[in-house]
Amino acid sequence: MDPLEKFKQWHTEYIKNTTTKLPYACCLASIGSDGYPNSRFVSLKEIKEHKFVITGSLTSRKGLELLANPKASLTFWWPETQQQIRIQGDTSQIDHTLANTYFKGRHKEAQIVSHICQQGIEIDNITDLTSLFEKKKIEYKNADVPKPNDWSGFYIDPKRIEFMEFKSNRFHYRELYTKEQNGWSKVILQP
């Protein structure tokens, strides 16, 4: 089976069995400029052209790290189905048109936050930023919020995908798919 199809099947089953408000949440890890890994939760937008898509600011730590060292991993943990999926791959920036589409698909308050904030930059206090946010909510009430130039996204082109089904006796079932020139190879890993 193609691992991307398996991912879609598992994810569909998870969505049927979960009550979480964030069924697309996953942990993204990138490599920092200091050599340390950085992890944070992001939202998977979709699988497009056999690649996983995430979005965000190119000038955030996440964006800068993925631009400087285009390698990343995604981890999905689904407690309701007792499944974990780990993905490692190469990253590349999505095109401007697709970034616009994703930005327009966000709810307006999230668009405003992206429009007024420089993600991860230190501030003296939150009051001025909160006031600006409230002012922009009024300003853009009946207007489109322009996508910031630094807001885009990344493809993660998977090279390895590991599926793990947790078992109560800890004898977990693990499959590792590795992309090769002619498709995917699969091996079973010990628990």
Side-chain angles (χ1 to χ4, degrees), residues 55 94-104 147 151-153:
T55 59
I94 64 174
D95 65 53
H96 184 71
T97 302
L98 188 57
N100 278 334
T101 299
Y102 288 129
F103 189 79
K104 287 179 182 176
K147 182 186 81 59
W151 196 94
S152 187

Side-chain angles (χ1 to χ4, degrees), residues 116-117 123-136:
I116 66 169
C117 294
I123 56 174
D124 292 328
N125 68 63
I126 195 74
T127 306
D128 292 340
L129 197 57
T130 303
S131 296
L132 179 60
F133 176 71
E134 293 302 324
K135 179 182 169 191
K136 293 294 181 179

Side-chain angles (χ1 to χ4, degrees), residues 70-132:
K71 296 183 183 317
S73 68
L74 292 174
T75 303
F76 296 83
W77 162 237
W78 299 326
E80 290 87 347
T81 55
Q82 293 290 290
Q83 295 168 320
Q84 173 183 278
I85 302 173
R86 297 188 316 146
I87 299 157
Q88 294 173 297
D90 297 324
T91 65
S92 59
Q93 188 178 337
I94 64 174
D95 65 53
H96 184 71
T97 302
L98 188 57
N100 278 334
T101 299
Y102 288 129
F103 189 79
K104 287 179 182 176
R106 304 179 90 202
H107 63 80
K108 187 161 273 190
E109 288 186 349
Q111 292 176 343
I112 292 170
V113 168
S114 295
H115 184 72
I116 66 169
C117 294
Q118 294 178 298
Q119 187 177 23
I121 300 298
E122 291 182 20
I123 56 174
D124 292 328
N125 68 63
I126 195 74
T127 306
D128 292 340
L129 197 57
T130 303
S131 296
L132 179 60

Side-chain angles (χ1 to χ4, degrees), residues 30 39 90 162:
S30 57
S39 299
D90 297 324
E162 180 188 320

